[in-house]
Amino acid sequence: MVATEAEKIRKQVNFYFSDSNLPYDKFLWTLRANTPEGWIPLETIASFKKMKMITEDFDTIVKALKEVESEIYEIDEEGKNIRRKSEVVQQNHVERSIYVKGLPLVDADAKDPVAELFKLQDKVDEFFSEKGYTVLCVRMKKNDEKPKKFKGSCYIEFSSPEEAKKVAEEATVEFDGNKLEILYKPRYHELKAEQYKDSPFRKNNKSFNAFKPNAQFTSNKRKNQGGFDKNTKKTKTEEEEKKETKPVAAEAAPAVAEEEAKKEE
């Protein structure tokens, strides 16, 4: 069954504010923490590329979000701002995810390779959803090159570890003419840890995570990553930068060291 435009809008916004994304999305988390009562301008959400691929009509977005009540987000009376209804909850994303390899590569010379990657991401989501599984998100894996390129693999997060294990039991599936290899994500991490156990070059996961005890975000008073204030034209001292770096608003849950070491996203 093909989703309607309104359904696509609601699904995408639900994802933005979900436990699977919000505490790991530095931009949204910072914006939420720096605004009164956690409100975020709906125009900001509407400006995201994935949203603009669905529709660029702001009124259509507002209407779609208002016509069905969400358990995750709420819209203000004027239809100008949006926020998550409750505090985020730390989930075990690894245990309810799978690793998928063998996806078709995106043409780097395409007119809009980012848009093409988003389309592939949606196709993967639809493929597993049509099999009866509850897909929470699809994370496309990229290499460390600049610009980063899609590796032909992804992580797919489901509603529970049981569902992820069931999908992983298939081992291989046919997708759009490609043979996909599937591994339960914890098993994939075990294999990678074994592969690189003697390597002196181990990846250091620097991805934002609001649940880390010392998680910090950049205040919107900062003009850029270098701490350069365009108004003063002076480079800020290390002490000044520390003053402008605030702890996350939500209460951080203790991170499990072993699990963090395994993460590759």
Side-chain angles (χ1 to χ4, degrees), residues 165-176:
K165 290 176 183 177
K166 184 177 179 181
V167 180
E169 287 175 359
E170 294 191 48
T172 60
V173 295
E174 288 291 329
F175 169 80
D176 206 21

Side-chain angles (χ1 to χ4, degrees), residues 62 66 75-81:
V62 175
K66 278 191 167 185
I75 311 294
D76 66 6
E77 293 183 1
E78 296 180 348
K80 293 183 177 180
N81 299 288

Side-chain angles (χ1 to χ4, degrees), residues 16-225:
Y16 288 144
F17 290 90
S18 69
D19 290 331
S20 298
N21 181 71
L22 185 57
Y24 309 101
D25 188 321
K26 187 175 182 179
F27 176 77
L28 279 180
W29 186 270
T30 303
L31 196 59
R32 171 178 178 260
N34 282 345
T35 52
E37 300 179 343
W39 290 108
I40 294 176
L42 200 47
E43 286 188 347
T44 299
I45 302 297
S47 71
F48 293 165
K49 189 175 183 70
K50 190 72 178 284
M51 288 294 293
K52 292 173 76 172
M53 286 178 63
I54 301 173
T55 180
E56 294 191 34
D57 187 86
F58 183 74
D59 291 336
T60 297
I61 293 174
V62 175
K63 181 181 178 181
L65 296 179
K66 278 191 167 185
E67 64 185 10
V68 176
E69 184 176 356
S70 169
E71 296 180 356
I72 297 177
Y73 62 79
E74 60 183 345
I75 311 294
D76 66 6
E77 293 183 1
E78 296 180 348
K80 293 183 177 180
N81 299 288
I82 184 172
R83 68 179 176 185
R84 179 172 165 120
K85 285 184 174 180
S86 60
E87 290 301 317
V88 293
V89 178
Q90 188 173 25
Q91 307 286 348
N92 193 328
H93 303 294
V94 174
E95 291 192 0
R96 62 185 192 186
S97 299
I98 61 171
Y99 165 76
V100 177
K101 178 183 178 181
L103 291 167
L105 297 177
V106 172
D107 184 1
D109 296 324
K111 184 177 180 180
D112 191 343
V114 175
E116 293 302 313
L117 187 59
F118 278 148
K119 290 177 183 178
L120 177 59
Q121 184 181 43
D122 287 341
K123 287 183 69 174
V124 173
D125 187 323
E126 291 170 6
F127 177 78
F128 285 94
S129 295
E130 288 174 358
K131 284 177 169 286
Y133 300 116
T134 303
V135 177
L136 298 183
C137 69
V138 177
R139 297 183 176 91
M140 311 303 269
K141 288 175 62 62
K142 299 178 182 179
N143 58 28
D144 295 326
E145 297 177 11
K146 291 185 179 181
K148 293 185 176 182
K149 296 180 181 179
F150 176 53
K151 298 172 66 173
S153 58
C154 71
Y155 293 128
I156 305 176
E157 184 180 341
F158 297 94
S159 61
S160 67
E162 291 72 27
E163 196 169 29
K165 290 176 183 177
K166 184 177 179 181
V167 180
E169 287 175 359
E170 294 191 48
T172 60
V173 295
E174 288 291 329
F175 169 80
D176 206 21
N178 295 272
K179 184 178 180 180
L180 304 184
E181 297 178 26
I182 302 174
L183 272 177
Y184 185 42
K185 192 172 180 179
R187 177 55 181 159
Y188 171 71
H189 280 167
E190 289 174 2
L191 294 175
K192 298 301 285 187
E194 179 66 23
Q195 180 181 352
Y196 295 108
K197 66 178 181 179
D198 298 322
S199 174
F201 306 104
R202 298 194 66 179
K203 283 187 176 181
N204 181 21
N205 180 32
K206 297 181 180 179
S207 299
F208 177 76
N209 184 342
F211 293 114
K212 288 183 179 179
N214 298 319
Q216 295 180 329
F217 62 87
T218 305
S219 167
N220 58 10
K221 294 179 183 178
R222 296 271 296 277
K223 302 301 178 182
N224 55 37
Q225 292 181 343

Side-chain angles (χ1 to χ4, degrees), residues 221-236:
K221 294 179 183 178
R222 296 271 296 277
K223 302 301 178 182
N224 55 37
Q225 292 181 343
F228 187 81
D229 190 322
K230 294 180 181 178
N231 295 322
T232 62
K233 301 296 182 182
K234 294 180 180 179
T235 302
K236 297 180 181 179

